[in-house]
Amino acid sequence: MRGLHADTGYLLYRLGLRSGQLFNTFLQESGLRLRHYAVLRFLAGSEGSLQRELSTRLGYDPSAIVGLVDDLEKLGFAERRPSPDDRRSRIVVLTETGRGFLRDTDEAGQRVTNELLGPLDPAERATLHALLLRAADRP
């Protein structure tokens, strides 16, 4: 039987767990969790998104997206607006308050990444990032 540390999938799982723990600890004070942060980061790179697109892109259940967006709206970090393409649909957009929150958390997020990837030098981090992007870009 192979050892767990010989299994790349398991190592990715462990790294993901550790990453989630570190991010949730740093977000704890704000009342948010990593899932909220992921929605905010996604919205920061878009002009708005339908909830079903958020669900698909982030890999979250559609019902979870509704709750996450509700939470973000209560904090003033995101809002639902009528879609310019279809008035029956609503898009979720990042507010200026949400952008400010992300700016304020950039340094803390970088500290989390540095703690998580501390054993790797900058070139190794860049290689890991490129490889993870390539693997994650598959359907």
Side-chain angles (χ1 to χ4, degrees):
M1 183 168 140
R2 292 183 337 166
L4 280 177
H5 288 97
D7 186 327
T8 302
Y10 175 76
L11 291 173
L12 286 169
Y13 169 75
R14 286 284 309 265
L15 189 62
L17 280 178
R18 182 72 180 132
S19 176
Q21 291 167 343
L22 290 171
F23 266 95
N24 282 328
T25 297
F26 117 73
L27 290 168
Q28 187 174 8
E29 201 173 285
S30 68
L32 298 180
R33 305 213 21 99
L34 183 55
R35 296 179 124 209
H36 295 99
Y37 186 77
V39 171
L40 290 173
R41 280 284 168 212
F42 181 83
L43 292 174
S46 72
E47 294 294 319
S49 176
L50 295 170
Q51 287 183 174
R52 69 177 163 265
E53 180 185 13
L54 286 171
S55 173
T56 301
R57 291 295 198 81
L58 297 174
Y60 297 160
D61 186 80
S63 62
I65 290 293
V66 171
L68 292 169
V69 173
D70 286 347
D71 293 344
L72 294 172
E73 272 193 315
K74 286 177 192 164
L75 292 167
F77 291 170
E79 64 185 25
R80 292 174 175 100
R81 295 181 183 163
S83 171
D85 300 328
D86 180 358
R87 290 198 177 282
R88 295 169 295 168
S89 297
R90 312 223 2 115
I91 59 170
V92 182
V93 297
L94 190 63
T95 64
E96 280 308 311
T97 304
R99 287 187 197 289
F101 173 80
L102 288 175
R103 278 191 303 275
D104 293 345
T105 60
D106 279 346
E107 186 179 319
Q110 190 57 53
R111 282 196 309 269
V112 167
T113 299
N114 288 341
E115 182 175 333
L116 190 64
L117 300 180
L120 305 180
D121 66 39
E124 290 170 325
R125 288 180 187 203
T127 299
L128 175 63
H129 187 83
L131 292 170
L132 290 172
L133 275 175
R134 205 165 84 203
D137 199 25
R138 295 177 49 127

